[in-house]
Amino acid sequence: MATAPQDRRKGARPDDPERRGRRDNLRAHIVLPATVDALSGRQQISLLDISREGACMQGERLPEVGKDVVLKCGAVDAFGTVAWAVSTRCGVRFDEPISLSELMALRQ
């Protein structure tokens, strides 16, 4: 059985020119309480990591892939779309990048 290369997130895949499957922004790995609002309601979640363009969160009954959401954590209110979901985790791609100062404030 073939094993996955250790540097799989370091570059774009040749078959993915839009880099959808690769992170090209550094992420701040944090664990903070936050909320996510969707048409289905407001959910309390844990924010696991965040970059200027997206975030990973964990919680119960998260919105489905393709749903629009508002992530609220500290002074950050970020509009986005759920890009992926697995079990109790999902990733959100923001409509507009958050500012570097907002990102740094969450890290502190």
Side-chain angles (χ1 to χ4, degrees):
M1 173 167 40
T3 60
Q6 296 299 317
D7 62 346
R8 64 189 180 132
R9 290 189 179 173
K10 291 186 179 176
R13 292 187 311 241
D15 63 335
D16 190 7
E18 295 179 14
R19 299 179 63 93
R20 291 181 306 260
R22 300 289 183 238
R23 295 180 181 159
D24 53 357
N25 283 310
L26 295 177
R27 290 189 169 241
H29 296 280
I30 54 178
V31 178
L32 293 173
T35 61
V36 63
D37 293 327
L39 287 177
S40 58
R42 176 174 287 176
Q43 298 294 325
Q44 297 293 322
I45 55 104
S46 293
L47 184 61
L48 301 180
D49 68 39
I50 189 166
S51 75
R52 293 194 60 217
E53 296 185 355
C56 176
M57 62 184 84
Q58 182 172 9
E60 301 297 322
R61 300 180 313 277
L62 294 170
E64 297 174 4
V65 172
K67 299 294 183 182
D68 293 329
V69 297
V70 179
L71 173 66
K72 296 181 180 192
C73 185
V76 174
D77 283 355
F79 293 86
T81 304
V82 177
W84 61 268
V86 176
S87 186
T88 60
R89 291 187 178 193
C90 74
V92 173
R93 181 174 297 131
F94 299 145
D95 293 347
E96 297 287 331
I98 64 172
S99 71
L100 187 55
S101 61
E102 288 174 314
L103 180 62
M104 296 308 291
L106 288 176
R107 291 189 70 179
Q108 298 175 5

